[in-house]
Amino acid sequence: MNHKIAVIVSALFMALTMTVCGSGEPVSAPSVAETDKAAVKEKLNKQDSKSDDSTVTTQADAETPTDSDGTNILVAYFSRADENYNVGTIDKGNTQIVAEYIADEVGADSFHIETVTPYPADYDECCDVAKQELADKARPEIQGGVENMEQYDIVSLGYPIWWGDMPMAVYTFMDSYDFSDKVVIPFNTHEGSGESGTYSAIRSYLPNAQVLDGMDIQGKTAQEFSSDTQQSVRDWLDGLGF
């Protein structure tokens, strides 16, 4: 009898857990290590120094057009719209919503990592393609590129969790540039797996960069992006020193 009761209690607990995970979860800003704050501060001070130097220009400098607004911060992100788990068919990907908010808050340039061959709009079909890419350790070709990557001292890298990892296109992006001496700040969306060890994976993949701990947000929470969620992201950015 005791065994039967234990089984029933266990089943009820699992059902409750699935119900909770299926709804938008509140998000709180993660604590920020002092070393992470110092790393961001160093790069932001470098940008301030560049800005001070740029105030003194020659006539020739003033007449030379530039494609950059001078920021040393880039938000690069992979995000997929269409049919997604737990949110249905959407016009803007969960990660993109967070990425655009971060870029606006810190005054960063942004780059949307998009593959040359689009992923299927159907959720199950997309899952099949993503699973095969992971098994093959594929590096799908991405559209366009970041001009003057060397100007960015801070790169905030965003992505969803696909099969317990980053989408393979994010690896293509990391393969495409030299991240030496850059501060990389990850953030991700997920449906219950948190960051799934990807922050450590990025550290291993970019050994010459300083990769900080990031922030993870459930996909549905990101899609709704309430004022409370926005404030949590803002608190995280404040904690980093932005």
Side-chain angles (χ1 to χ4, degrees), residues 7-21:
V7 171
I8 293 171
V9 170
S10 177
L12 288 172
F13 177 76
M14 290 179 65
L16 177 60
T17 302
M18 291 176 66
T19 301
V20 171
C21 290

Side-chain angles (χ1 to χ4, degrees), residues 25 27 45 49 52 58 62-63 69 76 83 114 125 140 145 175 183 225 228 234 236:
E25 296 178 351
V27 60
N45 286 343
S49 177
D52 291 341
T58 64
E63 293 173 353
D69 61 8
E83 186 181 12
E114 298 180 274
E125 292 178 9
D175 284 339
V183 168
F225 213 56
D228 288 342
R234 181 65 259 181
W236 173 58

Side-chain angles (χ1 to χ4, degrees), residues 36-56:
D36 289 357
K37 294 179 185 179
V40 172
K41 182 178 180 180
E42 177 187 356
K43 298 303 184 184
L44 292 177
N45 286 343
K46 182 178 178 182
Q47 170 62 18
D48 290 341
S49 177
K50 288 178 182 178
S51 299
D52 291 341
D53 291 342
S54 68
T55 59
V56 181

Side-chain angles (χ1 to χ4, degrees), residues 34-242:
E34 290 299 323
T35 52
D36 289 357
K37 294 179 185 179
V40 172
K41 182 178 180 180
E42 177 187 356
K43 298 303 184 184
L44 292 177
N45 286 343
K46 182 178 178 182
Q47 170 62 18
D48 290 341
S49 177
K50 288 178 182 178
S51 299
D52 291 341
D53 291 342
S54 68
T55 59
V56 181
T57 59
T58 64
Q59 183 63 28
D61 291 333
E63 293 173 353
T64 302
T66 177
D67 294 328
S68 170
D69 61 8
T71 182
N72 72 333
I73 309 169
L74 175 70
V75 176
Y77 63 94
F78 177 95
S79 189
R80 174 184 165 276
D82 298 321
E83 186 181 12
N84 274 243
Y85 178 78
N86 211 22
V87 294
T89 301
I90 52 178
D91 295 326
K92 183 179 291 187
N94 304 326
T95 308
Q96 183 174 354
I97 292 171
V98 182
E100 289 179 349
Y101 180 79
I102 292 173
D104 184 62
E105 288 295 295
V106 304
D109 292 337
S110 62
F111 179 74
H112 190 173
I113 302 168
E114 298 180 274
T115 54
V116 171
T117 302
Y119 288 95
D122 180 82
Y123 173 73
D124 290 333
E125 292 178 9
C126 181
C127 284
D128 290 341
V129 172
K131 187 176 184 179
Q132 189 61 54
E133 286 185 344
L134 177 61
D136 296 340
K137 297 188 182 301
R139 295 294 182 265
E141 184 180 359
I142 58 178
Q143 299 181 32
V146 179
E147 295 184 7
N148 303 319
M149 184 64 167
E150 64 277 3
Q151 84 178 44
Y152 299 109
D153 299 307
I154 300 172
V155 178
S156 189
L157 185 60
Y159 50 88
I161 298 297
W162 282 9
W163 295 106
D165 202 344
M166 293 170 280
M168 294 297 101
V170 178
Y171 286 95
T172 304
F173 177 80
M174 292 190 291
D175 284 339
S176 301
Y177 304 98
D178 181 6
F179 284 83
S180 298
D181 198 37
K182 296 186 187 298
V183 168
V184 177
I185 308 173
F187 64 95
N188 71 280
T189 57
H190 64 92
E191 285 302 337
S193 57
E195 51 95 7
S196 196
T198 54
Y199 301 163
S200 294
I202 296 171
R203 288 190 184 97
S204 298
Y205 211 76
L206 303 176
N208 296 320
Q210 185 169 359
V211 182
L212 311 186
D213 285 332
M215 183 174 193
D216 64 90
I217 302 176
Q218 189 187 6
K220 185 174 182 179
T221 301
Q223 186 63 214
E224 295 170 349
F225 213 56
S226 68
S227 58
D228 288 342
T229 303
Q230 292 177 36
Q231 186 60 53
S232 293
V233 177
R234 181 65 259 181
D235 289 345
W236 173 58
L237 294 172
D238 286 344
L240 286 167
F242 288 104

